[in-house]
Amino acid sequence: MRALFTLIGDIRRLAMPYFRSEERWTAIGLLAAVIALELAWVFATVLLNEWNVAFYNAIQDKDFPAFQKQILVFCGLAAGAIVVAVYQVYLKQGLEIRWRRWLTKRYLDAWLSDDVHYRLRLSGDAADNPDQRIAEDVQIFVNRTISVGVGLLGTIVSLFSFSVILWNLSGPLGLKLFGHEINIPGYLFFAALIYAAVGTLIAHFIGRPLVKLNFDQQRYEADFRVDLVRVRENGEQIALLNGSPAEDRKLDGRFSRIFGNFVDLMKAQKRLTWFTAGYNQISTIFPYVVVAPAYFAGQIQLGQLMQTASAFGSVQGSFSFFISSYVTLAEWTSVVNRLTGFETAIAKARVGADVPAFGMPREAGSQGLTLRDLDVRLPGGAPLIQTGEIAIDRGERVLITGPSGAGKTTLLRAIAGIWPFGSGTVHRNEDQRLLVLPQKPYVPVGRLDVALTYPRPVDMVPKERLTEILAAVGLPALADRLEEEALWPHELSLGEQQRLAIARALLDAPDVLLLDEATSALDEPSEAALYALLQDRLPHATFISIGHRSTLADLHDRVLHLHGDEAPRTLRPVSTPMFHPPEGGVVPV
């Protein structure tokens, strides 16, 4: 029972924000229309139940004029029912797609804002497969909430309406018990109640495992799809390593989990279907068995028999709502659990997002960048790097070196303000703009000009400017392909992608540029030429680079090295080389 109240609370918490949002009047209007049509459908079934009396009595009495009249009445009822059914589906779908759009936007905003998607990954993705939860679970939740909620309301109204009819039709049942006669009023109502209650308890006992099995099935399916996408995106590396057999084994293992869980799901559904199929078949004849004695005793006519049986079936069907909907309810419950888990993970990841671990005070008049007592830590809390106080002047180019795995990239993340573990402050000018160029640039799929200007809108930069920039970074052959759509991460080599990232930096013209091995895929002359290009086009920008090549030292004003054999390593200066740009400033292709 406690689990049921928790589930109801979770559903309410997930559903209510939409009906309190800026779309609330449209949402409430559509919901009211859907509910009204559901009530109209129940009313139509009540009228049809009453129609049964006159129609079947006309058949029993062989009264053809009355029969013809009831056919016309039925046509009117059927026409009304068709209109109700059509618009109920139409308006229900309208409510569903609007609600899904709003809820999807809400989750996308929550996932993408404040770099929560990045924080979730750092914490180990407590909410597995966020893409599936946003794309699939939201759709299932909205669909099931509307269908189950409206269906349950219709069931309750139908139960009340037909219970009154059945109570009035059944009359008292006299039983002799220990020499005493006991009259049970409305005995058919209680017969339907007991029949459905017993069935519901048995169905719940048999179908309980379906909730967890559906939850796991959705997770295993999403894991399999993610691995398939990874193979597609890393096809070249896999082929070069002859890794196809390994990927085959991994994917086969993923699908084995899908297969095994689905077999368990099949078995659980088979057990439930054995019961529900038998229950539904018995339900077809059970009302007639209960009512038939009165008919054969001459107490009621054929019309009353059919009306009573129909009312009994409606009451019993209403009581059996949870039996007939158990599989849907199990899937709905698993989706609710997944979405609440997603919201919980987002809330945990957002803790402290508004107050960065590393202070970023913006100071008027400050022209450089100062790292003050940075204590960079790993997600588990272990210390990684400590800096003391390091001042970097405006326009200065600083190279950070150290052993692989020492935490250089993590230090750059801390300076950029996205690393959430540690303490200390990064002082810079209040108007400074900062840009990070990672070793593997992000190149969106689609038009090349959009990828080049990302994340700014492409219409903000003239095409002539894009053409000139591409030529400057050594990609003149791409100038004629700016409006071409392609899988650019696969079309371009890593070196070309790094040149594209340098082009972005030139377009953006940041005050502070962080280069995380941003030219590692280029030959040394091309690397030197690109640094010369950056110095020429961005003469007042501060560069902080990470790299392992010894030639990088000559391209920077100062080198800072991570000292120490184990964490926490300290960042200290080791030399002061001067930068000498190559002659001519031409970037080799």
mmCIF file with all atom_site columns, all heavy atoms in Angstrom, residues 377-400:
data_model
loop_
_atom_site.group_PDB
_atom_site.id
_atom_site.type_symbol
_atom_site.label_atom_id
_atom_site.label_alt_id
_atom_site.label_comp_id
_atom_site.label_asym_id
_atom_site.label_entity_id
_atom_site.label_seq_id
_atom_site.pdbx_PDB_ins_code
_atom_site.Cartn_x
_atom_site.Cartn_y
_atom_site.Cartn_z
_atom_site.occupancy
_atom_site.B_iso_or_equiv
_atom_site.pdbx_formal_charge
_atom_site.auth_seq_id
_atom_site.auth_comp_id
_atom_site.auth_asym_id
_atom_site.auth_atom_id
_atom_site.pdbx_PDB_model_num
ATOM 1   N N   . ARG A 1 377 ? 40.391 18.544 -7.594  1.00 0.00 ? 377 ARG A N   1
ATOM 2   C CA  . ARG A 1 377 ? 40.200 17.195 -7.062  1.00 0.00 ? 377 ARG A CA  1
ATOM 3   C C   . ARG A 1 377 ? 39.434 16.309 -8.039  1.00 0.00 ? 377 ARG A C   1
ATOM 4   O O   . ARG A 1 377 ? 38.761 16.796 -8.943  1.00 0.00 ? 377 ARG A O   1
ATOM 5   C CB  . ARG A 1 377 ? 39.462 17.260 -5.721  1.00 0.00 ? 377 ARG A CB  1
ATOM 6   C CG  . ARG A 1 377 ? 40.272 17.936 -4.629  1.00 0.00 ? 377 ARG A CG  1
ATOM 7   C CD  . ARG A 1 377 ? 39.587 18.009 -3.287  1.00 0.00 ? 377 ARG A CD  1
ATOM 8   N NE  . ARG A 1 377 ? 40.503 18.532 -2.279  1.00 0.00 ? 377 ARG A NE  1
ATOM 9   C CZ  . ARG A 1 377 ? 41.244 17.774 -1.472  1.00 0.00 ? 377 ARG A CZ  1
ATOM 10  N NH1 . ARG A 1 377 ? 41.153 16.438 -1.553  1.00 0.00 ? 377 ARG A NH1 1
ATOM 11  N NH2 . ARG A 1 377 ? 42.058 18.315 -0.594  1.00 0.00 ? 377 ARG A NH2 1
ATOM 12  N N   . LEU A 1 378 ? 39.558 15.011 -7.816  1.00 0.00 ? 378 LEU A N   1
ATOM 13  C CA  . LEU A 1 378 ? 38.818 14.030 -8.614  1.00 0.00 ? 378 LEU A CA  1
ATOM 14  C C   . LEU A 1 378 ? 37.393 13.916 -8.088  1.00 0.00 ? 378 LEU A C   1
ATOM 15  O O   . LEU A 1 378 ? 37.092 14.362 -6.964  1.00 0.00 ? 378 LEU A O   1
ATOM 16  C CB  . LEU A 1 378 ? 39.524 12.670 -8.540  1.00 0.00 ? 378 LEU A CB  1
ATOM 17  C CG  . LEU A 1 378 ? 40.917 12.625 -9.174  1.00 0.00 ? 378 LEU A CG  1
ATOM 18  C CD1 . LEU A 1 378 ? 41.596 11.297 -8.869  1.00 0.00 ? 378 LEU A CD1 1
ATOM 19  C CD2 . LEU A 1 378 ? 40.829 12.852 -10.669 1.00 0.00 ? 378 LEU A CD2 1
ATOM 20  N N   . PRO A 1 379 ? 36.467 13.307 -8.869  1.00 0.00 ? 379 PRO A N   1
ATOM 21  C CA  . PRO A 1 379 ? 35.075 13.187 -8.413  1.00 0.00 ? 379 PRO A CA  1
ATOM 22  C C   . PRO A 1 379 ? 34.925 12.516 -7.056  1.00 0.00 ? 379 PRO A C   1
ATOM 23  O O   . PRO A 1 379 ? 34.025 12.853 -6.299  1.00 0.00 ? 379 PRO A O   1
ATOM 24  C CB  . PRO A 1 379 ? 34.416 12.347 -9.525  1.00 0.00 ? 379 PRO A CB  1
ATOM 25  C CG  . PRO A 1 379 ? 35.200 12.687 -10.745 1.00 0.00 ? 379 PRO A CG  1
ATOM 26  C CD  . PRO A 1 379 ? 36.613 12.864 -10.273 1.00 0.00 ? 379 PRO A CD  1
ATOM 27  N N   . GLY A 1 380 ? 35.829 11.600 -6.730  1.00 0.00 ? 380 GLY A N   1
ATOM 28  C CA  . GLY A 1 380 ? 35.740 10.936 -5.434  1.00 0.00 ? 380 GLY A CA  1
ATOM 29  C C   . GLY A 1 380 ? 36.290 11.747 -4.293  1.00 0.00 ? 380 GLY A C   1
ATOM 30  O O   . GLY A 1 380 ? 36.214 11.338 -3.132  1.00 0.00 ? 380 GLY A O   1
ATOM 31  N N   . GLY A 1 381 ? 36.890 12.915 -4.589  1.00 0.00 ? 381 GLY A N   1
ATOM 32  C CA  . GLY A 1 381 ? 37.434 13.781 -3.544  1.00 0.00 ? 381 GLY A CA  1
ATOM 33  C C   . GLY A 1 381 ? 38.937 13.716 -3.403  1.00 0.00 ? 381 GLY A C   1
ATOM 34  O O   . GLY A 1 381 ? 39.534 14.499 -2.649  1.00 0.00 ? 381 GLY A O   1
ATOM 35  N N   . ALA A 1 382 ? 39.618 12.807 -4.101  1.00 0.00 ? 382 ALA A N   1
ATOM 36  C CA  . ALA A 1 382 ? 41.071 12.692 -4.001  1.00 0.00 ? 382 ALA A CA  1
ATOM 37  C C   . ALA A 1 382 ? 41.734 13.916 -4.623  1.00 0.00 ? 382 ALA A C   1
ATOM 38  O O   . ALA A 1 382 ? 41.308 14.389 -5.681  1.00 0.00 ? 382 ALA A O   1
ATOM 39  C CB  . ALA A 1 382 ? 41.548 11.421 -4.692  1.00 0.00 ? 382 ALA A CB  1
ATOM 40  N N   . PRO A 1 383 ? 42.802 14.451 -4.007  1.00 0.00 ? 383 PRO A N   1
ATOM 41  C CA  . PRO A 1 383 ? 43.477 15.636 -4.553  1.00 0.00 ? 383 PRO A CA  1
ATOM 42  C C   . PRO A 1 383 ? 44.211 15.296 -5.845  1.00 0.00 ? 383 PRO A C   1
ATOM 43  O O   . PRO A 1 383 ? 44.731 14.193 -6.014  1.00 0.00 ? 383 PRO A O   1
ATOM 44  C CB  . PRO A 1 383 ? 44.450 16.035 -3.446  1.00 0.00 ? 383 PRO A CB  1
ATOM 45  C CG  . PRO A 1 383 ? 44.702 14.769 -2.680  1.00 0.00 ? 383 PRO A CG  1
ATOM 46  C CD  . PRO A 1 383 ? 43.414 13.995 -2.748  1.00 0.00 ? 383 PRO A CD  1
ATOM 47  N N   . LEU A 1 384 ? 44.261 16.271 -6.769  1.00 0.00 ? 384 LEU A N   1
ATOM 48  C CA  . LEU A 1 384 ? 44.899 16.043 -8.062  1.00 0.00 ? 384 LEU A CA  1
ATOM 49  C C   . LEU A 1 384 ? 45.983 17.082 -8.332  1.00 0.00 ? 384 LEU A C   1
ATOM 50  O O   . LEU A 1 384 ? 47.137 16.739 -8.591  1.00 0.00 ? 384 LEU A O   1
ATOM 51  C CB  . LEU A 1 384 ? 43.843 16.078 -9.167  1.00 0.00 ? 384 LEU A CB  1
ATOM 52  C CG  . LEU A 1 384 ? 44.316 15.770 -10.585 1.00 0.00 ? 384 LEU A CG  1
ATOM 53  C CD1 . LEU A 1 384 ? 44.813 14.327 -10.663 1.00 0.00 ? 384 LEU A CD1 1
ATOM 54  C CD2 . LEU A 1 384 ? 43.195 16.002 -11.592 1.00 0.00 ? 384 LEU A CD2 1
ATOM 55  N N   . ILE A 1 385 ? 45.631 18.388 -8.268  1.00 0.00 ? 385 ILE A N   1
ATOM 56  C CA  . ILE A 1 385 ? 46.581 19.453 -8.593  1.00 0.00 ? 385 ILE A CA  1
ATOM 57  C C   . ILE A 1 385 ? 46.388 20.610 -7.624  1.00 0.00 ? 385 ILE A C   1
ATOM 58  O O   . ILE A 1 385 ? 45.254 20.957 -7.270  1.00 0.00 ? 385 ILE A O   1
ATOM 59  C CB  . ILE A 1 385 ? 46.377 19.962 -10.045 1.00 0.00 ? 385 ILE A CB  1
ATOM 60  C CG1 . ILE A 1 385 ? 46.702 18.865 -11.053 1.00 0.00 ? 385 ILE A CG1 1
ATOM 61  C CG2 . ILE A 1 385 ? 47.242 21.190 -10.322 1.00 0.00 ? 385 ILE A CG2 1
ATOM 62  C CD1 . ILE A 1 385 ? 46.370 19.254 -12.480 1.00 0.00 ? 385 ILE A CD1 1
ATOM 63  N N   . GLN A 1 386 ? 47.506 21.240 -7.230  1.00 0.00 ? 386 GLN A N   1
ATOM 64  C CA  . GLN A 1 386 ? 47.465 22.468 -6.446  1.00 0.00 ? 386 GLN A CA  1
ATOM 65  C C   . GLN A 1 386 ? 48.356 23.498 -7.130  1.00 0.00 ? 386 GLN A C   1
ATOM 66  O O   . GLN A 1 386 ? 49.429 23.169 -7.625  1.00 0.00 ? 386 GLN A O   1
ATOM 67  C CB  . GLN A 1 386 ? 47.938 22.209 -5.015  1.00 0.00 ? 386 GLN A CB  1
ATOM 68  C CG  . GLN A 1 386 ? 47.011 21.288 -4.236  1.00 0.00 ? 386 GLN A CG  1
ATOM 69  C CD  . GLN A 1 386 ? 47.534 20.931 -2.854  1.00 0.00 ? 386 GLN A CD  1
ATOM 70  O OE1 . GLN A 1 386 ? 48.710 21.153 -2.560  1.00 0.00 ? 386 GLN A OE1 1
ATOM 71  N NE2 . GLN A 1 386 ? 46.667 20.370 -2.030  1.00 0.00 ? 386 GLN A NE2 1
ATOM 72  N N   . THR A 1 387 ? 47.905 24.750 -7.165  1.00 0.00 ? 387 THR A N   1
ATOM 73  C CA  . THR A 1 387 ? 48.629 25.752 -7.968  1.00 0.00 ? 387 THR A CA  1
ATOM 74  C C   . THR A 1 387 ? 49.294 26.859 -7.174  1.00 0.00 ? 387 THR A C   1
ATOM 75  O O   . THR A 1 387 ? 50.206 27.507 -7.688  1.00 0.00 ? 387 THR A O   1
ATOM 76  C CB  . THR A 1 387 ? 47.671 26.416 -8.964  1.00 0.00 ? 387 THR A CB  1
ATOM 77  O OG1 . THR A 1 387 ? 46.710 27.200 -8.248  1.00 0.00 ? 387 THR A OG1 1
ATOM 78  C CG2 . THR A 1 387 ? 46.964 25.386 -9.821  1.00 0.00 ? 387 THR A CG2 1
ATOM 79  N N   . GLY A 1 388 ? 48.867 27.119 -5.951  1.00 0.00 ? 388 GLY A N   1
ATOM 80  C CA  . GLY A 1 388 ? 49.345 28.341 -5.309  1.00 0.00 ? 388 GLY A CA  1
ATOM 81  C C   . GLY A 1 388 ? 48.778 29.535 -6.042  1.00 0.00 ? 388 GLY A C   1
ATOM 82  O O   . GLY A 1 388 ? 47.633 29.510 -6.500  1.00 0.00 ? 388 GLY A O   1
ATOM 83  N N   . GLU A 1 389 ? 49.599 30.615 -6.214  1.00 0.00 ? 389 GLU A N   1
ATOM 84  C CA  . GLU A 1 389 ? 49.143 31.792 -6.961  1.00 0.00 ? 389 GLU A CA  1
ATOM 85  C C   . GLU A 1 389 ? 49.981 31.968 -8.207  1.00 0.00 ? 389 GLU A C   1
ATOM 86  O O   . GLU A 1 389 ? 51.212 32.070 -8.136  1.00 0.00 ? 389 GLU A O   1
ATOM 87  C CB  . GLU A 1 389 ? 49.209 33.052 -6.095  1.00 0.00 ? 389 GLU A CB  1
ATOM 88  C CG  . GLU A 1 389 ? 48.680 34.276 -6.839  1.00 0.00 ? 389 GLU A CG  1
ATOM 89  C CD  . GLU A 1 389 ? 48.474 35.478 -5.931  1.00 0.00 ? 389 GLU A CD  1
ATOM 90  O OE1 . GLU A 1 389 ? 48.226 35.257 -4.724  1.00 0.00 ? 389 GLU A OE1 1
ATOM 91  O OE2 . GLU A 1 389 ? 48.536 36.614 -6.432  1.00 0.00 ? 389 GLU A OE2 1
ATOM 92  N N   . ILE A 1 390 ? 49.308 32.005 -9.353  1.00 0.00 ? 390 ILE A N   1
ATOM 93  C CA  . ILE A 1 390 ? 49.987 32.154 -10.645 1.00 0.00 ? 390 ILE A CA  1
ATOM 94  C C   . ILE A 1 390 ? 49.276 33.252 -11.419 1.00 0.00 ? 390 ILE A C   1
ATOM 95  O O   . ILE A 1 390 ? 48.085 33.166 -11.683 1.00 0.00 ? 390 ILE A O   1
ATOM 96  C CB  . ILE A 1 390 ? 49.967 30.840 -11.445 1.00 0.00 ? 390 ILE A CB  1
ATOM 97  C CG1 . ILE A 1 390 ? 50.743 29.757 -10.692 1.00 0.00 ? 390 ILE A CG1 1
ATOM 98  C CG2 . ILE A 1 390 ? 50.547 31.056 -12.837 1.00 0.00 ? 390 ILE A CG2 1
ATOM 99  C CD1 . ILE A 1 390 ? 50.681 28.398 -11.358 1.00 0.00 ? 390 ILE A CD1 1
ATOM 100 N N   . ALA A 1 391 ? 50.023 34.293 -11.796 1.00 0.00 ? 391 ALA A N   1
ATOM 101 C CA  . ALA A 1 391 ? 49.469 35.408 -12.560 1.00 0.00 ? 391 ALA A CA  1
ATOM 102 C C   . ALA A 1 391 ? 49.894 35.272 -14.016 1.00 0.00 ? 391 ALA A C   1
ATOM 103 O O   . ALA A 1 391 ? 51.067 35.014 -14.313 1.00 0.00 ? 391 ALA A O   1
ATOM 104 C CB  . ALA A 1 391 ? 49.932 36.736 -11.987 1.00 0.00 ? 391 ALA A CB  1
ATOM 105 N N   . ILE A 1 392 ? 48.950 35.430 -14.915 1.00 0.00 ? 392 ILE A N   1
ATOM 106 C CA  . ILE A 1 392 ? 49.215 35.364 -16.356 1.00 0.00 ? 392 ILE A CA  1
ATOM 107 C C   . ILE A 1 392 ? 48.768 36.690 -16.958 1.00 0.00 ? 392 ILE A C   1
ATOM 108 O O   . ILE A 1 392 ? 47.604 37.082 -16.829 1.00 0.00 ? 392 ILE A O   1
ATOM 109 C CB  . ILE A 1 392 ? 48.465 34.180 -17.007 1.00 0.00 ? 392 ILE A CB  1
ATOM 110 C CG1 . ILE A 1 392 ? 48.871 32.870 -16.335 1.00 0.00 ? 392 ILE A CG1 1
ATOM 111 C CG2 . ILE A 1 392 ? 48.737 34.131 -18.510 1.00 0.00 ? 392 ILE A CG2 1
ATOM 112 C CD1 . ILE A 1 392 ? 48.062 31.675 -16.788 1.00 0.00 ? 392 ILE A CD1 1
ATOM 113 N N   . ASP A 1 393 ? 49.687 37.380 -17.616 1.00 0.00 ? 393 ASP A N   1
ATOM 114 C CA  . ASP A 1 393 ? 49.391 38.710 -18.142 1.00 0.00 ? 393 ASP A CA  1
ATOM 115 C C   . ASP A 1 393 ? 48.547 38.637 -19.413 1.00 0.00 ? 393 ASP A C   1
ATOM 116 O O   . ASP A 1 393 ? 48.501 37.613 -20.101 1.00 0.00 ? 393 ASP A O   1
ATOM 117 C CB  . ASP A 1 393 ? 50.687 39.459 -18.447 1.00 0.00 ? 393 ASP A CB  1
ATOM 118 C CG  . ASP A 1 393 ? 51.478 39.752 -17.187 1.00 0.00 ? 393 ASP A CG  1
ATOM 119 O OD1 . ASP A 1 393 ? 50.850 39.862 -16.119 1.00 0.00 ? 393 ASP A OD1 1
ATOM 120 O OD2 . ASP A 1 393 ? 52.727 39.834 -17.276 1.00 0.00 ? 393 ASP A OD2 1
ATOM 121 N N   . ARG A 1 394 ? 47.911 39.759 -19.716 1.00 0.00 ? 394 ARG A N   1
ATOM 122 C CA  . ARG A 1 394 ? 47.155 39.866 -20.963 1.00 0.00 ? 394 ARG A CA  1
ATOM 123 C C   . ARG A 1 394 ? 48.101 39.696 -22.151 1.00 0.00 ? 394 ARG A C   1
ATOM 124 O O   . ARG A 1 394 ? 49.176 40.281 -22.201 1.00 0.00 ? 394 ARG A O   1
ATOM 125 C CB  . ARG A 1 394 ? 46.474 41.225 -21.032 1.00 0.00 ? 394 ARG A CB  1
ATOM 126 C CG  . ARG A 1 394 ? 45.631 41.420 -22.285 1.00 0.00 ? 394 ARG A CG  1
ATOM 127 C CD  . ARG A 1 394 ? 45.209 42.858 -22.418 1.00 0.00 ? 394 ARG A CD  1
ATOM 128 N NE  . ARG A 1 394 ? 44.338 43.060 -23.579 1.00 0.00 ? 394 ARG A NE  1
ATOM 129 C CZ  . ARG A 1 394 ? 44.056 44.237 -24.103 1.00 0.00 ? 394 ARG A CZ  1
ATOM 130 N NH1 . ARG A 1 394 ? 44.585 45.337 -23.569 1.00 0.00 ? 394 ARG A NH1 1
ATOM 131 N NH2 . ARG A 1 394 ? 43.274 44.335 -25.150 1.00 0.00 ? 394 ARG A NH2 1
ATOM 132 N N   . GLY A 1 395 ? 47.699 38.864 -23.106 1.00 0.00 ? 395 GLY A N   1
ATOM 133 C CA  . GLY A 1 395 ? 48.510 38.619 -24.293 1.00 0.00 ? 395 GLY A CA  1
ATOM 134 C C   . GLY A 1 395 ? 49.638 37.640 -24.086 1.00 0.00 ? 395 GLY A C   1
ATOM 135 O O   . GLY A 1 395 ? 50.361 37.318 -25.036 1.00 0.00 ? 395 GLY A O   1
ATOM 136 N N   . GLU A 1 396 ? 49.806 37.127 -22.872 1.00 0.00 ? 396 GLU A N   1
ATOM 137 C CA  . GLU A 1 396 ? 50.876 36.162 -22.606 1.00 0.00 ? 396 GLU A CA  1
ATOM 138 C C   . GLU A 1 396 ? 50.456 34.773 -23.069 1.00 0.00 ? 396 GLU A C   1
ATOM 139 O O   . GLU A 1 396 ? 49.291 34.405 -23.008 1.00 0.00 ? 396 GLU A O   1
ATOM 140 C CB  . GLU A 1 396 ? 51.196 36.143 -21.112 1.00 0.00 ? 396 GLU A CB  1
ATOM 141 C CG  . GLU A 1 396 ? 52.412 35.293 -20.767 1.00 0.00 ? 396 GLU A CG  1
ATOM 142 C CD  . GLU A 1 396 ? 52.760 35.334 -19.286 1.00 0.00 ? 396 GLU A CD  1
ATOM 143 O OE1 . GLU A 1 396 ? 51.936 35.851 -18.500 1.00 0.00 ? 396 GLU A OE1 1
ATOM 144 O OE2 . GLU A 1 396 ? 53.837 34.835 -18.923 1.00 0.00 ? 396 GLU A OE2 1
ATOM 145 N N   . ARG A 1 397 ? 51.438 34.008 -23.536 1.00 0.00 ? 397 ARG A N   1
ATOM 146 C CA  . ARG A 1 397 ? 51.193 32.636 -23.984 1.00 0.00 ? 397 ARG A CA  1
ATOM 147 C C   . ARG A 1 397 ? 51.920 31.692 -23.054 1.00 0.00 ? 397 ARG A C   1
ATOM 148 O O   . ARG A 1 397 ? 53.160 31.732 -22.948 1.00 0.00 ? 397 ARG A O   1
ATOM 149 C CB  . ARG A 1 397 ? 51.669 32.474 -25.429 1.00 0.00 ? 397 ARG A CB  1
ATOM 150 C CG  . ARG A 1 397 ? 50.819 33.269 -26.414 1.00 0.00 ? 397 ARG A CG  1
ATOM 151 C CD  . ARG A 1 397 ? 51.472 33.383 -27.762 1.00 0.00 ? 397 ARG A CD  1
ATOM 152 N NE  . ARG A 1 397 ? 52.753 34.100 -27.696 1.00 0.00 ? 397 ARG A NE  1
ATOM 153 C CZ  . ARG A 1 397 ? 52.885 35.416 -27.614 1.00 0.00 ? 397 ARG A CZ  1
ATOM 154 N NH1 . ARG A 1 397 ? 51.807 36.183 -27.593 1.00 0.00 ? 397 ARG A NH1 1
ATOM 155 N NH2 . ARG A 1 397 ? 54.080 35.974 -27.565 1.00 0.00 ? 397 ARG A NH2 1
ATOM 156 N N   . VAL A 1 398 ? 51.135 30.832 -22.379 1.00 0.00 ? 398 VAL A N   1
ATOM 157 C CA  . VAL A 1 398 ? 51.666 29.946 -21.345 1.00 0.00 ? 398 VAL A CA  1
ATOM 158 C C   . VAL A 1 398 ? 51.422 28.505 -21.753 1.00 0.00 ? 398 VAL A C   1
ATOM 159 O O   . VAL A 1 398 ? 50.313 28.146 -22.179 1.00 0.00 ? 398 VAL A O   1
ATOM 160 C CB  . VAL A 1 398 ? 51.008 30.244 -19.981 1.00 0.00 ? 398 VAL A CB  1
ATOM 161 C CG1 . VAL A 1 398 ? 51.486 29.255 -18.932 1.00 0.00 ? 398 VAL A CG1 1
ATOM 162 C CG2 . VAL A 1 398 ? 51.304 31.669 -19.550 1.00 0.00 ? 398 VAL A CG2 1
ATOM 163 N N   . LEU A 1 399 ? 52.456 27.683 -21.618 1.00 0.00 ? 399 LEU A N   1
ATOM 164 C CA  . LEU A 1 399 ? 52.352 26.251 -21.912 1.00 0.00 ? 399 LEU A CA  1
ATOM 165 C C   . LEU A 1 399 ? 52.397 25.475 -20.600 1.00 0.00 ? 399 LEU A C   1
ATOM 166 O O   . LEU A 1 399 ? 53.282 25.704 -19.762 1.00 0.00 ? 399 LEU A O   1
ATOM 167 C CB  . LEU A 1 399 ? 53.502 25.811 -22.817 1.00 0.00 ? 399 LEU A CB  1
ATOM 168 C CG  . LEU A 1 399 ? 53.604 24.306 -23.103 1.00 0.00 ? 399 LEU A CG  1
ATOM 169 C CD1 . LEU A 1 399 ? 52.402 23.828 -23.903 1.00 0.00 ? 399 LEU A CD1 1
ATOM 170 C CD2 . LEU A 1 399 ? 54.919 23.978 -23.825 1.00 0.00 ? 399 LEU A CD2 1
ATOM 171 N N   . ILE A 1 400 ? 51.434 24.570 -20.421 1.00 0.00 ? 400 ILE A N   1
ATOM 172 C CA  . ILE A 1 400 ? 51.405 23.707 -19.241 1.00 0.00 ? 400 ILE A CA  1
ATOM 173 C C   . ILE A 1 400 ? 51.829 22.314 -19.670 1.00 0.00 ? 400 ILE A C   1
ATOM 174 O O   . ILE A 1 400 ? 51.253 21.728 -20.592 1.00 0.00 ? 400 ILE A O   1
ATOM 175 C CB  . ILE A 1 400 ? 50.006 23.673 -18.605 1.00 0.00 ? 400 ILE A CB  1
ATOM 176 C CG1 . ILE A 1 400 ? 49.608 25.064 -18.115 1.00 0.00 ? 400 ILE A CG1 1
ATOM 177 C CG2 . ILE A 1 400 ? 49.952 22.673 -17.458 1.00 0.00 ? 400 ILE A CG2 1
ATOM 178 C CD1 . ILE A 1 400 ? 48.199 25.147 -17.548 1.00 0.00 ? 400 ILE A CD1 1
#
